[in-house]
Amino acid sequence: MSTETLTALKTTLDPRSWSEDPDELAPHVRDWRNRYRGVTPLLLKPATTDEVSRILSLCNRDNVAITPQSGNTSLVGGSIPQGEVVLSLKRMNAIGKIDATNESLTCEAGVIVETVQNTAIEQGKLFPLSLGAQGSAMIGGLISTNAGGVHVLRYGMMRDLVLGLQVVLPDGRVLSDLKGLRKDNTGYDLKQLFIGAEGTLGVVTAATVKLFPRPASTAVALAAVDSPAKAVELLTHVKNKTGGGVAAFELMSRSGLNLAVAHLPDARHPIKIDQAWTVLIELVSAEPDRAQPIMEKTLGTAFEHGLIGDAALAQTQAQAKAFWTLRESIPEAERTHGKAVKHDISVPVSHISVFMEEATRTVESMLENAFIIAFGHVGDGNIHFNVTREEPGAGENFVAAAAAVTEAIYDLVDKHGGSISAEHGVGILKRRELARRKPVHVQVMRAIKSALDPNGVMNPRVLLGED
Ligand SMILES: Cc1cc2nc3c(=O)[nH]c(=O)nc-3n(C[C@H](O)[C@H](O)[C@H](O)COP(=O)(O)OP(=O)(O)OC[C@H]3O[C@@H](n4cnc5c(N)ncnc54)[C@H](O)[C@@H]3O)c2cc1C
């Protein structure tokens, strides 16, 4: 970037809206997994949409590439600059209008997800998107990655939860629709273009999201099953018995659960894990004290039908939280264990069990001493099928050696009509695979990008980028 552009950027902004301090820049140029490390000449941290607009029009004029960044919890390297300026949304963190009757909440893009959840609770409402990174991830990041999480089964992905967006386009124009309408048939649904665009089409500066009534009762249970096939049978059983009350249905391999228990201080296995898999089920009801008896009855009949072995129903909120903590700690425990080759994939729920059998066989035939940690949102057909070594401390060498495994797993995903990215996005990690496996989709996406971003300044290496 030329010194003139750098100076122009600094002078057009409030002095609090940029930084060159290496200590402040440091957390913005490395990712959560420590896999991607980058560089940037300048951290931009605008406080208003107007500042974002001025930054984009200047960068567009001078062909300066920009990496937008929210909570920097991307697992695919999408938020790490390699020479681009970083545009952090962290100072745009105001909650705007909450309309309880319309069940909608408007906020700036830099609001942390947990803050949105807590604000909704204060209004007696629910913002349902919930994921392990919710203490750091921000609304703008969730939108730009079309995040999923643990409640997709009942409430949908981010794409389903957005009523409107404010986006600064690459040339600085502001496209704004924060009216909170559920019905608006005035042509193309433009907001959907920016949801899941990973910062390649513009910068999301604000959003209006859906709220829901809070369930009056919730029940959480763990149940042991002997195979993914049994887990899917159990899912059908629970859905049929609860009439839409299943809020979450998560599957964990014994390897993943063991890692989480070893990682967490004072944690223990709440149930006998003599079976290879454990399912976490969350049921909700609009009636007080209703979810628990429904869960008890449903687990009872599941046991009678031979679907589950040991099971534990949380008796207190603290127990329910402890069950969830076990599930949510698997990624962190895995990170501590060492490098892993990770696959955030989805297949139709009806294919889960065959896919898992074939993928396990394939990995075991290709890698000696492979240690598979599989877990995820099986209720949506989404599995994190991760491969590492049993002994802790696998490094980048292992990741490089296991690249062929990824190829084989993605071939199986294609065979079963799945997706190579269920919820984490494409970023840097999967862009080549995407271009190879979905060439026409990528051509169409590139046509859209060149219409909106003809100078290619928005996150140019991510999603559609080439080396
Ligand atoms: C422990 C852990 C658990 C996780 N669990 C889940 C899970 O269950 N489900 C799930 O879906 N994901 C999960 N993730 C991945 C991650 O949290 C999500 O992808 C999240 O949506 C990223 O949000 P962020 O605010 O951190 O965005 P960032 O990481 O900052 O950015 C993500 C992408 O969006 C772009 N971007 C960010 N903000 C904007 C903006 N305002 N305008 C335009 N582009 C922007 C960035 O350039 C980047 O490409 C997990 C991550 C961790 C570390």
Side-chain angles (χ1 to χ4, degrees):
M1 179 175 32
S2 72
T3 327
E4 288 77 34
T5 311
L6 203 63
T7 311
L9 276 170
K10 290 195 267 188
T11 47
T12 191
L13 298 173
D14 183 282
R16 286 166 298 180
S17 298
W18 57 270
S19 174
E20 290 169 311
D21 172 3
D23 288 341
E24 190 175 353
L25 262 58
H28 293 273
V29 295
R30 61 165 183 265
D31 74 327
W32 182 80
R33 279 164 66 190
N34 230 350
R35 178 156 186 201
Y36 298 94
R37 280 176 176 268
V39 282
T40 185
L42 187 63
L43 169 65
L44 299 166
K45 32 179 190 159
T48 62
T49 298
D50 181 56
E51 280 197 319
V52 176
S53 166
R54 273 185 274 147
I55 292 168
L56 263 57
S57 45
L58 228 155
C59 287
N60 192 43
R61 186 197 70 190
D62 291 2
N63 281 314
V64 170
I66 302 160
T67 297
Q69 193 180 87
S70 286
N72 196 17
T73 65
S74 166
L75 295 175
V76 291
S79 50
I80 301 302
Q82 296 294 344
E84 296 88 4
V85 293
V86 175
L87 192 159
S88 167
L89 277 301
K90 64 183 175 184
R91 289 178 67 227
M92 294 187 62
N93 55 6
I95 299 270
K97 183 175 170 191
I98 302 162
D99 185 339
T101 310
N102 193 47
E103 297 196 310
S104 61
L105 176 152
T106 300
C107 67
E108 290 185 316
V111 177
I112 289 178
V113 182
E114 232 165 45
T115 308
V116 177
Q117 294 166 344
N118 292 337
T119 308
I121 290 172
E122 284 161 20
Q123 302 293 322
K125 295 286 173 187
L126 172 79
F127 177 67
L129 200 136
S130 170
L131 40 70
Q134 65 196 25
S136 308
M138 297 169 183
I139 284 293
L142 292 196
I143 288 166
S144 303
T145 56
N146 183 26
V150 299
H151 290 141
V152 172
L153 194 55
R154 186 174 163 86
Y155 300 99
M157 299 207 29
M158 201 59 199
R159 202 175 280 296
D160 305 300
L161 300 177
V162 175
L163 291 171
L165 289 183
Q166 183 180 71
V167 182
V168 179
L169 300 175
D171 61 8
R173 281 177 299 162
V174 180
L175 183 74
S176 189
D177 177 4
L178 299 173
K179 294 195 289 280
L181 296 179
R182 275 152 215 269
K183 286 193 160 183
D184 180 4
N185 269 350
T186 50
Y188 303 158
D189 190 355
L190 294 178
K191 66 177 179 295
Q192 293 297 346
L193 269 183
F194 300 92
I195 304 174
E198 302 188 29
T200 58
L201 298 179
V203 175
V204 176
T205 49
T208 301
V209 295
K210 289 183 191 169
L211 301 179
F212 293 82
R214 281 189 79 194
S217 57
T218 301
V220 178
L222 292 174
V225 293
D226 63 17
S227 63
K230 276 283 183 320
V232 172
E233 269 186 69
L234 177 64
L235 172 68
T236 307
H237 173 81
V238 179
K239 277 180 167 173
N240 289 344
K241 296 283 176 199
T242 60
V246 191
F249 193 94
E250 301 281 306
L251 182 66
M252 298 171 275
S253 63
R254 184 161 41 203
S255 53
L257 206 51
N258 278 341
L259 274 191
V261 168
H263 173 75
L264 289 165
D266 305 326
R268 57 179 190 84
H269 288 294
I271 57 173
K272 272 193 254 135
I273 52 161
D274 44 5
Q275 283 166 290
W277 299 87
T278 301
V279 166
L280 185 155
I281 309 166
E282 183 179 282
L283 292 186
V284 292
S285 167
E287 290 176 52
D289 305 321
R290 209 49 208 115
Q292 198 86 346
I294 295 175
M295 179 77 94
E296 252 169 56
K297 199 166 166 203
T298 308
L299 289 179
T301 47
F303 186 75
E304 282 160 22
H305 291 134
L307 297 178
I308 60 172
D310 198 13
L313 176 51
Q315 299 300 329
T316 59
Q317 276 197 2
Q319 260 178 13
K321 192 160 178 254
F323 289 4
W324 268 117
T325 303
L326 277 179
R327 160 62 189 88
E328 300 285 18
S329 300
I330 296 176
E332 176 60 36
E334 213 181 8
R335 177 169 78 152
T336 314
H337 183 78
K339 298 275 180 214
V341 190
K342 302 197 170 202
H343 309 98
D344 159 44
I345 61 92
S346 63
V347 292
V349 175
S350 47
H351 289 237
I352 285 261
S353 85
V354 186
F355 168 81
M356 295 282 274
E357 277 166 29
E358 292 180 6
T360 304
R361 263 203 313 274
T362 303
V363 170
E364 286 174 351
S365 71
M366 291 177 78
L367 270 184
E368 234 175 273
N369 304 325
F371 185 52
I372 298 171
I373 302 168
F375 62 98
H377 322 298
V378 74
D380 327 314
N382 177 192
I383 292 289
H384 302 311
F385 193 88
N386 301 340
V387 183
T388 184
R389 292 258 180 248
E390 186 147 15
E391 61 282 6
E396 284 303 340
N397 294 348
F398 168 76
V399 174
V405 165
T406 296
E407 181 80 21
I409 288 177
Y410 288 168
D411 286 347
L412 283 175
V413 167
D414 280 345
K415 176 180 151 192
H416 288 284
S419 170
I420 63 164
S421 175
E423 60 176 8
H424 294 163
V426 173
I428 299 296
L429 186 66
K430 298 182 180 177
R431 59 188 179 172
R432 261 188 240 129
E433 284 295 335
L434 180 74
R436 201 161 71 75
R437 289 171 193 273
K438 293 178 94 174
V440 180
H441 285 72
V442 168
Q443 281 161 22
V444 173
M445 286 195 263
R446 286 200 173 124
I448 293 169
K449 180 164 170 74
S450 52
L452 288 179
D453 182 19
N455 295 337
V457 293
M458 291 308 309
N459 231 3
R461 293 169 303 100
V462 165
L463 178 61
L464 303 173
E466 288 157 0
D467 294 329

